[in-house]
Amino acid sequence: MVRGARRPKSDFRACLEPLHTLQISWRCGRTGMGTLVDIQRGQSLLQPSFLLDGLELLAIASRLFQEGDPHGFGETTVALTLLAEQGQQQGLMAAVWYLLDVAGWLGDLSHCWQCGREAEQTMFWQHARLVCDDCGQGMPVSVGLRKSITAVLSGGHILLGAADAGRWRDMISGVLNEHGIKVTDSFKGM
Ligand SMILES: [Zn+2]
């Protein structure tokens, strides 16, 4: 927290661009977080063309990891790296999927999230959950799509086809909606 940082005359205003590394100095207070003394802005964490996706990612991360949660910083850093490495569209999906996974909102892609059975066939996406054909029905999630998602998340350079990319996007939007996180138009429009 930087008191008054958004005021037009604030010395810190120009430094506090999002998605940049910052070197900050502060004086510890007797209570609370103390007083910020100096900020030096370092390099940008993303290329300019990724900034909107990066802001979207930060907005989602701030909902998943609440104030006081010891988790979140490292996870968000990994997600930003995924975004930068995988490129636009697919990169944002990979990054958001990763965050949802580490936040504990997803299961693994080889087992039914309902009964736990290992599924070697097409599975289904129902109410923001991956289920086997015994447990439900809904949008088909093929073996190929599940393998592609796993590969992309581990840094593989696989470009999903338009249909699979659309399914993955729908899966992510479904999970976000289920948990009351609004997706912006930039995410819906992918
Ligand atoms: Zn099942």
Side-chain angles (χ1 to χ4, degrees):
M1 273 199 308
V2 188
R3 189 163 292 147
R6 285 184 173 154
R7 284 187 205 131
K9 286 186 177 169
S10 163
D11 293 339
F12 298 139
R13 186 183 164 96
C15 299
L16 291 171
E17 284 288 307
L19 296 166
H20 284 72
T21 57
L22 298 175
Q23 188 169 23
I24 61 176
S25 318
W26 72 95
R27 264 200 313 271
C28 294
R30 250 171 282 166
T31 58
M33 296 177 67
T35 307
L36 196 63
V37 178
D38 187 42
I39 307 174
Q40 298 293 330
R41 190 167 79 192
Q43 61 183 23
S44 175
L45 296 171
L46 293 170
Q47 301 286 331
S49 57
F50 290 102
L51 286 181
L52 276 180
D53 284 350
L55 290 175
E56 174 95 52
L57 199 58
L58 287 190
I60 292 172
S62 72
R63 293 292 307 273
L64 296 180
F65 305 102
Q66 306 278 323
E67 186 85 41
D69 190 335
H71 301 283
F73 183 82
E75 289 83 348
T76 306
T77 307
V78 172
L80 287 168
T81 307
L82 268 174
L83 170 61
E85 283 175 356
Q86 289 289 332
Q88 269 157 321
Q89 303 197 353
Q90 188 167 303
L92 183 57
M93 289 196 279
V96 174
W97 187 269
Y98 169 79
L99 282 183
L100 294 173
D101 194 21
V102 292
W105 290 4
L106 305 175
D108 88 88
L109 291 173
S110 54
H111 293 82
C112 171
W113 298 359
Q114 185 77 30
C115 71
R117 179 164 73 85
E118 185 166 1
E120 284 158 5
Q121 308 290 327
T122 293
M123 297 174 79
F124 300 95
W125 190 251
Q126 186 185 48
H127 306 309
R129 289 168 64 81
L130 187 69
V131 293
C132 70
D133 54 1
D134 287 338
C135 292
Q137 50 188 318
M139 181 180 73
V141 181
S142 68
V143 177
L145 173 55
R146 278 150 44 209
K147 278 191 179 150
S148 297
I149 293 174
T150 306
V152 166
L153 285 166
S154 50
H157 287 281
I158 293 170
L159 196 60
L160 270 71
D164 270 355
R167 285 190 195 98
W168 194 14
R169 185 189 62 222
D170 288 347
M171 290 160 74
I172 294 167
S173 306
V175 176
L176 292 170
N177 281 332
E178 192 82 2
H179 290 272
I181 296 184
K182 276 174 84 174
V183 288
T184 66
D185 290 341
S186 73
F187 192 81
K188 284 185 221 154
M190 287 194 311

